[in-house]
Amino acid sequence: MPRLLAALCLQIYLCSFLGPVEGGKVLVMPVDGSHWLSMKILVEELSRRGHEMVVLVPETSVLIHGSDAYVARSFKVPYTKAELDESMNKLKEGITKAPRISDLLENIIGLLSFTNMQVKGCEALLYNEPLMQNLREEHFDLMLTDPFLPCGPIIAEAFSLPAVYFLRGLPCGLDLEAAQCPSPPSYVPRFFTGNTDVMTFSQRVKNVLMTGFESILCKIFFSSFDELTSRYLKKDVTFRDVLGHAAIWLYRYGFTFEYPRPVMPNAVRIGGINCAKKNPLPADLEEFVDGSGDHGFIVFTLGSFVSELPEFKAREFFEAFRQIPQRVLWRYTGVIPKDIPENVKVMKWLPQNDLLAHPKAKVFITHGGTHGIYEGICNGVPMVMIPLFGDQVDNVLRMVLREVAESLTMFDLTSEQLLGALRKVLNNKRYKEKITQLSLIHKDRPIEPLDLAVFWTEFVMRHGSAEHLRPAAHHLNWVQYHSLDVIAFLLLVLSTVVFIAVKTCALCFRKCFRRAQKSKKE
Amino acid sequence: MPRLLAALCLQIYLCSFLGPVEGGKVLVMPVDGSHWLSMKILVEELSRRGHEMVVLVPETSVLIHGSDAYVARSFKVPYTKAELDESMNKLKEGITKAPRISDLLENIIGLLSFTNMQVKGCEALLYNEPLMQNLREEHFDLMLTDPFLPCGPIIAEAFSLPAVYFLRGLPCGLDLEAAQCPSPPSYVPRFFTGNTDVMTFSQRVKNVLMTGFESILCKIFFSSFDELTSRYLKKDVTFRDVLGHAAIWLYRYGFTFEYPRPVMPNAVRIGGINCAKKNPLPADLEEFVDGSGDHGFIVFTLGSFVSELPEFKAREFFEAFRQIPQRVLWRYTGVIPKDIPENVKVMKWLPQNDLLAHPKAKVFITHGGTHGIYEGICNGVPMVMIPLFGDQVDNVLRMVLREVAESLTMFDLTSEQLLGALRKVLNNKRYKEKITQLSLIHKDRPIEPLDLAVFWTEFVMRHGSAEHLRPAAHHLNWVQYHSLDVIAFLLLVLSTVVFIAVKTCALCFRKCFRRAQKSKKE
């Protein structure tokens, strides 16, 4: 009995060190669009577990709506929905154009103008004194944010909140840099190089050059972030510095998708978090896909961002679909021709993951966003991939390399090409076998991605940080980190020693030589 | 109904890709001594889960005995138990001697002679044709081994078995090198430097020099391993190459103990695997510790390797213990003086983890082996640490830095010093608070270390490997990995361009200059 009592006392004593275990208050700063779709899953789960979730939503939001699971706090932004749409449309315009050498630059400019608009929105939030004061007074326990935009990390820093980041990655690897994660260019391919993790010498040269180029790109791309960060926080810090204060990085990928590479202890991989929950299909869809017989059906979406195509391009798809026995479900909001084939069902929105989970799903035509790819992997459905922007070309390459997908380019896509790719994936069993293997490996894990994300988010709430996972590298600058100062010092010492040794020898040699000459003369 | 049937078919189809899920056959090649104590826990758990475990045991084994959980296969070694004891005693001799500058060398020579003996034992096993043939015919699914000795990795390679390694680390970081894990010397301290993860410039110089020295040390230390590896496998490979084929590395540490640093995806941390299971204390021990009243009791062990001390040294301990009100449990097999204090209970063996789990345990006097440290952390008992060999000095430094322990040196230990350290840890609440925090963080994890170890071992059995976690860096040599060839090439190109530019400019300048001079003259 006394032992029991003592044990109980110890338990109480231990618990006194714990922060909030349940009922924490979480401030959420998401990024609108597809980024939100998987973060929402975590937000809803945390809410279900009794945490109070407050989500900051720009008034122009496209996909972040009110919910029972969280309190949405709308904030004003200095642009209209129409202006935002226009900026987004500019990005979409390039989809069907032939790629040119100037594309990279154009892409960057497009993305820059888009993110600059978002940064302006962020600024409007930060300098919205009443709202910020209000938030500050709510004494949150944690900031859960997507660091693709600077607001979340800056607010976390300003409010001294521990931060959990939820992301796929940041342009030019800023996330890795900020987290002090090594990323050797010899086998970690840089984006937009077309390289894989196995490179020839010339590919490695390209990768190293891209690494250098990226660091310049980073400076340009994140200059508006840096300016806002230091101005708002009133100290000489960059956005990267602030990012480095993250407690936990939740990466929505894993190594069935990404190339294996070094990771940091506070980086947690939760790839596939978006495909765990499956709902039964609505009756009309169930009937449509069940009626596909042995041929099965195809799911076709181009992500939440692109739901229409120019008519001439859409026609190529319809023409290809007309020639196959499979039924096709296409998420498409564009102009529908009169004579669309009978086997095609066009919808404004479709339950992608639920459809892919259906055993008759044969092929998934996708643009190669990470959400879609994981839905393909989780459900073991081989893919025909048509990358459109950003990381998608690289994402698709990863899947093609694993032999679970065929890839096409949108600008020159014809119905024949699409038909060829579809028939290849439908008829060659290899694709199904490979994606099934990949699916098995992906799903063979000790803990589900959502549970892992919840665990680490709550861990940070319980302990106020994850300090034990934070490398001491954060104390070092670039030169120190790479030991360049030490190497320079050692080289200096070595060269001094060699110099003195050589000089001494030379002196001795000269003296001896002179004496020898002298004695010869004598 | 047809959908259910189809789903079932898919399930069967998926399962056809899986290897053995239950009832696998595992060949276990352990390392005798304390290394075995935690590996045994995994072996027993795998056996409990229905796997057939075959453990290879040298006939001179100290701690690996027969068990219901596994089949022990004894093999002959070319040395006697007495010779092994003598070699081990040589290592122990240095414990109470004052440290000298030549210690590192002596330690290395001692360890070399010890491991060379073990390598001879390994050789005897490898060339034991009947046994090896017998093992080969048993068609194992997996090799579970401690790569501190070369047998396990070599047999795995020879039998083409996927290998799971169970370890604390290898001398001079060979494990990290083999796994292609970056280990920046700017903040990852090398063993025997006395550095922590935060270093001054001179400490970083020392660390870089030690990194260089280690690579030479590695060559010497592992030369007998390399020779045996290439001779037995009849190909030009080093031990490091073979190590690199590991599917999974199970590290028996975590970041409540180690400094946070980059890790590879196929490295799994299972620190504290040894302190999960708790048994009730035997009646006499329960009575002894319960009778310690509010003062509580102290647990004192120096690991499985050292259980005695020279009489003059033991006396210092007894004298210190005589002056404290706490009861002391000491695992000690040496000569016991007649007048030992009443509060001390000397035992040949003691249930260390069960004792530390008792709420009246106040201090743990330990040598700083990782097993003991984790038992201290798990149970939240502050420590007085007296490191003896190998990694122990570095282990102790980690604990002192976390303010959960005081450290002493055995060679000059006096009863006053011990008393001082004990009173400090007993009376200053800070130690208990800090170890309690550390304990909480250590135990706050999404999955228990044993379950994690079982999961990844079975994962490798199910899939025959963990290929998706294996970095492409394994295809590269040292120069390629560090992009030195690419840098050299780029420098060459750059210097050629600069050279041509300078020459061209010089030529132009000279021509212009000459023309100018000519026209002047004219």
Side-chain angles (χ1 to χ4, degrees), chain A residues 80-315:
Chain A
T80 62
K81 184 86 170 53
E83 284 168 330
L84 183 70
D85 285 346
E86 199 197 317
S87 165
M88 276 155 78
N89 284 338
K90 258 188 198 160
L91 284 176
K92 287 183 206 173
E93 266 171 20
I95 293 177
T96 50
K97 285 184 189 158
R100 286 160 308 164
I101 216 87
S102 59
D103 272 7
L104 185 61
L105 199 69
E106 251 177 47
N107 272 334
I108 293 167
I109 292 171
L111 200 57
L112 263 179
S113 106
F114 178 73
T115 51
N116 279 348
M117 185 175 251
Q118 302 277 326
V119 170
K120 285 266 174 281
C122 177
E123 190 174 352
L125 168 62
L126 292 176
Y127 288 95
N128 182 337
E129 275 305 330
L131 176 57
M132 288 297 278
Q133 189 53 31
N134 205 308
L135 291 174
R136 197 183 286 271
E137 281 162 8
E138 288 200 38
H139 298 291
F140 289 99
D141 299 305
L142 182 89
M143 165 63 89
L144 173 65
T145 185
D146 183 330
F148 192 76
L149 291 176
C151 296
I154 295 178
I155 294 176
E157 186 79 6
F159 289 7
S160 300
L161 289 180
V164 171
Y165 292 162
F166 191 102
L167 72 164
R168 151 77 175 106
L170 293 180
C172 52
L174 191 77
D175 52 319
L176 302 174
E177 253 193 60
Q180 303 284 354
C181 184
S183 183
S186 50
Y187 76 98
V188 181
R190 298 312 188 241
F191 278 110
F192 308 117
T193 54
N195 287 341
T196 72
D197 59 346
V198 178
M199 301 177 227
T200 60
F201 177 76
S202 60
Q203 283 170 332
R204 285 195 295 113
V205 170
K206 192 174 169 188
N207 218 45
V208 167
L209 286 176
M210 192 59 169
T211 307
F213 180 59
E214 265 186 356
S215 64
I216 303 168
L217 207 66
C218 246
K219 283 225 167 22
I220 301 168
F221 191 85
F222 289 107
S223 59
S224 59
F225 288 46
D226 288 340
E227 191 276 328
L228 181 61
T229 305
S230 61
R231 173 156 51 91
Y232 186 74
L233 295 174
K234 294 190 183 75
K235 51 184 177 181
D236 186 25
V237 283
T238 61
F239 181 55
R240 177 189 177 285
D241 297 333
V242 170
L243 280 181
H245 298 166
I248 292 288
W249 301 76
L250 300 173
Y251 279 100
R252 47 184 171 82
Y253 62 71
F255 295 115
T256 39
F257 164 65
E258 259 298 345
Y259 304 115
R261 36 157 303 151
V263 287
M264 295 311 282
N266 59 353
V268 178
R269 284 156 301 287
I270 52 162
I273 192 173
N274 55 313
C275 47
K277 210 170 152 188
K278 273 164 197 133
N279 296 312
L281 293 174
D284 61 328
L285 274 189
E286 180 74 49
E287 202 190 315
F288 182 79
V289 297
D290 266 341
S292 65
D294 285 346
H295 292 301
F297 67 94
I298 291 167
V299 182
F300 175 22
T301 67
L302 292 173
S304 56
F305 191 47
V306 179
S307 63
E308 26 188 295
L309 286 174
E311 234 180 307
F312 76 93
K313 194 51 80 176
R315 207 174 301 128

Side-chain angles (χ1 to χ4, degrees), chain A residues 186 204 444 462-463 481 485, chain B residues 186 204 444 462 481 485:
Chain A
S186 50
R204 285 195 295 113
D444 196 358
R462 277 191 292 272
H463 303 279
Y481 179 92
D485 52 350
Chain B
S186 50
R204 287 196 293 114
D444 195 358
R462 277 193 291 272
Y481 179 92
D485 51 350

